[in-house]
């Protein structure tokens, strides 16, 4: 029964420390792809209902970076990493059919963000700041190497 399952999930969340405000519930950052010139949004042809490219960074990610001592340039790295995914979307638009597994996409987004943040005409960050986004990437790696959603091990990132 779907309603009974939904009720159990709501109870589980309500019983977490801080309930619905628990930072683990927003421990993610994502880049969303625009639906402009790409079909429809929820079946609507109305252009005003289409979605723009977006970057969403959860409060849990920001709290994690702060509590890990990575607040000085960690958020810049996360934002630049997600922007790297927007560049990948454009590459896919220019070369349809080119596809990479999630691990390669994530490692490529790491490289794009590092290049941008270190470049004189990008983030123009100094070496100590670059070390912080190295730590940020390391801390967001995972060891689920058999998962299709694998983002790369901490060492790879």
């Amino acid at each position: 029964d779907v309603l009974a399952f939904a009720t159990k999930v709501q109870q589980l969340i309500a019983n977490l420390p801080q309930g619905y405000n628990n930072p683990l519930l927003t421990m993610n950052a994502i880049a969303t792809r625009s639906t402009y010139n790409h079909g429809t949004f929820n079946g609507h042809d109305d252009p005003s209902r289409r979605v723009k490219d977006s970057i969403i960074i959860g409060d849990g990610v920001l709290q994690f970076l702060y509590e890990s001592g990575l607040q000085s340039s960690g958020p810049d790295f996360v934002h630049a990493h997600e922007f790297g995914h927007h560049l990948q979307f454009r590459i896919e638009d220019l070369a349809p059919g080119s596809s990479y597994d999630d691990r390669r996409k994530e490692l490529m987004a790491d490289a794009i963000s590092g290049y941008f943040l270190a470049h004189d005409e990008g983030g123009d960050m100094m070496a100590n700041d670059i070390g912080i986004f190295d730590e940020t990437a390391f801390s967001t790696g995972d060891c689920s190497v058999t998962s299709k959603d694998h983002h790369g091990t901490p060492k790879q990132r």
Side-chain angles (χ1 to χ4, degrees):
D1 180 19
V2 174
L3 186 56
F5 179 73
T7 301
K8 285 182 181 180
V9 171
Q10 287 176 324
Q11 290 170 344
L12 174 73
I13 293 171
N15 290 327
L16 288 171
Q18 301 176 20
Y20 284 89
N21 292 320
N22 187 301
L24 289 177
L25 299 174
T26 59
M27 186 63 179
N28 202 353
I30 60 170
T32 63
R33 188 175 191 155
S34 170
T35 59
Y36 284 110
N37 300 319
H38 295 286
T40 63
F41 176 65
N42 285 344
H44 298 285
D45 289 324
D46 179 359
S48 67
R49 297 189 70 180
R50 294 189 178 155
V51 181
K52 296 179 181 179
D53 288 346
S54 300
I55 293 174
I56 303 164
I57 301 173
D59 293 344
V61 172
L62 299 174
Q63 184 172 343
F64 166 79
L65 294 170
Y66 179 80
E67 291 180 6
S68 300
L70 302 172
Q71 68 270 20
S72 64
S73 60
D76 293 330
F77 171 79
V78 173
H79 185 255
H81 171 95
E82 297 305 329
F83 186 77
H85 288 308
H86 285 282
L87 293 177
Q88 291 169 332
F89 297 156
R90 297 301 160 252
I91 291 168
E92 290 169 4
D93 290 343
L94 295 173
S98 63
S99 148
Y100 302 102
D101 62 50
D102 281 350
R103 180 185 60 86
R104 288 185 65 196
K105 285 181 181 177
E106 294 303 323
L107 297 176
M108 182 181 187
D110 285 350
I112 290 168
S113 63
Y115 177 81
F116 171 77
L117 292 172
H119 197 281
D120 291 347
E121 294 185 26
D124 195 24
M125 290 190 167
M126 307 311 285
N128 59 331
D129 292 322
I130 293 168
I132 289 172
F133 55 80
D134 180 49
E135 290 178 47
T136 304
F138 180 87
S139 67
T140 57
D142 67 76
C143 297
S144 303
V145 295
T146 58
S147 169
K148 69 174 189 60
D149 298 323
H150 176 51
H151 279 48
T153 65
K155 186 174 182 176
Q156 288 172 323
R157 296 200 73 193

